[in-house]
Amino acid sequence: MLSDLEFYVFEALIVVILVGLPLMTAAGAIPTALLSAPANRHAVMSRRAVVLGLFASFVGFWMMGLGAWLAREDSRYGAIDFFGFLLITLIGAALLAAGLGPLPSWLLESLGPFAERLPLPLRLAVRDLAHRRSRAVLAITLAMTVTAFGLALTVIAVGETAQSRAEYLPSGRPGSLLVQSSPAHLGGFSAADAATVRAAMERELPGVPIAQSETVPDPSWFFRATAEHVETPEEAVYWDQAIGDEKLLRYLTGDQSTPYDEGTAVVITSADVKVDSVDLAYEIDKNDETTASKTVRAIVARTSAPHMETIFVPSKIVRDLGYQLQPSELIVDPTLHRVTAQEQQRLDDRLDDAVADIYVERGFEASIGWLPITVAAFLAALVCALTSGFGRAANSRQARVMRRAGSGSAGAFRWFCASRAGMSALCGTVLGAIVGCPAGMLLLWPLTMRTTW
């Protein structure tokens, strides 16, 4: 769970990506695009501007690659490293877009000789866009900027979702309701809080059995259960051991017929092992670091989920060693009752967030909050491209050719306007893909790096 500081930092990063990237891209691409367009429609644009722009794009791409390369290690980085790598990549994305600014004007100029083989509406549309160079360049550049933002956001969101799905660790069996003590109470629920939480659960879920996991309230008071030839998986929910009653045991195994004996430990595993004892290492007194050991009888129980593998120790065994246990988690077994979203909401409204955290394990749920933003970006790009389709022809000769070809009909002029908008959209989409795809793939590395906030 994110702390308040981590949550605010994460929100700030989202704002930086959603606002900073398109603004930096637009601030770099639009001025260079307008400056590269010749004021006179008969003039030829400077090839020097194209070369310098491509060089700036190369530098930007190199900076983005540098940011991704610096964040390549599968280790944890500091917050300063994180922001530094992200800033390098964002500046690189802005340079990449700024360098491509002269390309819309160059494309319109280069398409002229090839337009002779196109159908009449497209041929006239290309010529008209070349004549109204400044307006067309602005529309194409805006479409390129917004398309690049939408594609970059899509690549980042899909990549982060894939990584989050691969790293997702379930907190329990699918469908189980888990009510845990809040992070402020590391030693579990107090007796009063546990009674309050249990009463609220019984009120909202009448007649539903409630399993209880317990823990040693003082983390410095050492207790550990181990079994020979048994290793707990790293993704296990209860990595050390699980302490509780028979309801907890049957929740862990998912089998209501699992035998329970308050003097017998249970090794819950999917491996084919034979275990008849469990070793308990414990401290006789919390103020004395001297460790003692005890061997208790054990049996093996199967589980179908690797993340539920653990060593179950009945509460009575631990209490007999001198430990005072406290409830750390109250659980509703999905085998006995599937908690609905309405029941979860009612229980959440009844309990104080400072006392308990309520969670229903429903597996990995991908966020789709980025989809409306992406759709809005692509619609905005379409609108930018369509603006070049409005208005009369820039050249009177082309207007006469259009009227003569269409016998003076309005449909011919509409085809002409649609062709202008289509060519602008095509140029903006291609250039936006050139910016957005590498920007998204290279931004993904610093955005998904592990940090030690």
Side-chain angles (χ1 to χ4, degrees):
M1 180 175 295
L2 291 175
S3 66
D4 291 340
L5 176 60
E6 292 174 351
F7 180 76
Y8 292 138
V9 170
F10 181 75
E11 281 195 331
L13 289 177
I14 296 299
V15 172
V16 167
I17 299 302
L18 296 184
V19 179
L21 183 58
L23 288 180
M24 292 176 68
T25 305
I30 293 177
T32 55
L34 294 177
L35 290 174
S36 64
N40 185 351
R41 66 173 181 258
H42 299 292
V44 178
M45 70 172 297
S46 172
R47 294 297 183 268
R48 183 180 179 183
V50 177
V51 173
L52 291 176
L54 292 177
F55 177 75
S57 295
F58 172 78
V59 173
F61 187 81
W62 180 85
M63 290 184 66
M64 296 177 68
L66 175 63
W69 181 80
L70 291 173
R72 75 192 187 283
E73 297 291 342
D74 188 17
S75 59
R76 292 196 176 273
Y77 296 82
I80 296 178
D81 298 328
F82 173 81
F83 284 110
F85 300 161
L86 182 61
L87 182 61
I88 290 174
T89 314
L90 285 175
I91 294 175
L95 281 175
L96 175 64
L100 294 180
L103 287 188
S105 181
W106 178 77
L107 273 178
L108 293 179
E109 186 176 288
S110 301
L111 285 174
F114 299 98
E116 300 302 327
R117 300 180 181 180
L118 297 176
L120 180 62
L122 289 175
R123 182 166 70 247
L124 296 179
V126 171
R127 291 176 180 173
D128 189 75
L129 290 174
H131 277 85
R132 51 168 69 194
R133 186 87 62 89
S134 296
R135 178 178 173 181
V137 163
L138 180 60
I140 293 173
T141 305
L142 287 173
M144 175 191 76
T145 301
V146 185
T147 301
F149 169 67
L151 285 174
L153 181 60
T154 301
V155 172
I156 292 170
V158 172
E160 285 191 327
T161 299
Q163 177 167 315
S164 299
R165 188 188 304 275
E167 295 179 345
Y168 178 75
L169 297 178
S171 298
R173 287 175 49 205
S176 56
L177 171 68
L178 309 171
V179 182
Q180 302 170 336
S181 58
S182 64
H185 304 283
L186 296 178
F189 292 106
S190 64
D193 289 341
T196 301
V197 172
R198 181 176 287 273
M201 295 177 67
E202 291 175 347
R203 190 176 298 112
E204 294 299 335
L205 305 170
V208 176
I210 300 173
Q212 179 173 289
S213 173
E214 297 182 289
T215 186
V216 178
D218 189 351
S220 63
W221 199 355
F222 178 76
F223 177 83
R224 180 71 186 278
T226 58
E228 189 176 1
H229 306 305
V230 174
E231 293 185 3
T232 305
E234 292 184 359
E235 67 273 14
V237 177
Y238 303 94
W239 196 85
D240 290 331
Q241 62 273 320
I243 305 172
D245 55 10
E246 59 182 312
K247 294 176 184 175
L248 177 65
L249 171 62
R250 287 159 186 167
Y251 161 74
L252 295 173
T253 61
D255 184 0
Q256 294 299 308
S257 63
T258 304
Y260 170 79
D261 180 7
E262 61 182 12
T264 303
V266 181
V267 177
I268 303 172
T269 179
S270 57
D272 187 13
V273 295
K274 184 177 181 180
V275 179
D276 55 11
S277 65
V278 166
D279 296 324
L280 305 179
Y282 64 98
E283 292 176 352
I284 300 174
D285 189 282
K286 65 179 180 180
N287 298 319
D288 185 358
E289 295 183 357
T290 303
T291 303
S293 62
K294 180 180 179 178
T295 300
V296 298
R297 186 173 65 255
I299 61 173
V300 176
R302 297 290 179 181
T303 179
S304 58
H307 65 277
M308 297 304 294
E309 294 186 14
T310 188
I311 297 177
F312 170 78
V313 182
S315 301
K316 184 178 183 303
I317 293 178
V318 183
R319 288 195 177 95
D320 289 344
L321 297 176
Y323 289 88
Q324 298 295 324
L325 299 176
Q326 285 186 353
S328 62
E329 190 177 41
L330 298 177
I331 306 165
V332 173
D333 192 332
T335 305
L336 304 175
H337 180 77
R338 285 274 180 171
V339 177
T340 64
Q342 292 77 12
E343 291 173 332
Q344 179 186 359
Q345 185 61 49
R346 290 199 305 267
L347 187 59
D348 188 46
D349 293 339
R350 186 176 293 277
L351 292 175
D352 188 354
D353 292 340
V355 175
D357 288 334
I358 302 172
Y359 177 70
V360 175
E361 178 56 60
R362 294 191 173 95
F364 177 77
E365 296 179 337
S367 173
I368 58 173
W370 58 276
L371 279 176
I373 301 175
T374 303
V375 171
F378 290 144
L379 289 177
L382 180 62
V383 171
C384 291
L386 289 177
T387 56
S388 62
F390 296 106
R392 292 187 289 180
N395 187 283
S396 58
R397 179 176 175 275
Q398 295 181 75
R400 290 194 300 272
V401 172
M402 203 70 212
R403 283 195 297 269
R404 186 167 59 251
S407 302
S409 65
F413 183 73
R414 284 196 291 268
W415 270 109
F416 170 68
C417 293
S419 299
R420 285 191 305 191
M423 290 302 299
S424 297
L426 177 62
C427 294
T429 301
V430 171
L431 295 176
I434 294 175
V435 178
C437 290
M441 288 186 288
L442 295 176
L443 273 170
L444 185 62
W445 287 86
L447 282 175
T448 55
M449 60 188 282
R450 300 174 184 271
T451 59
T452 54
W453 289 342

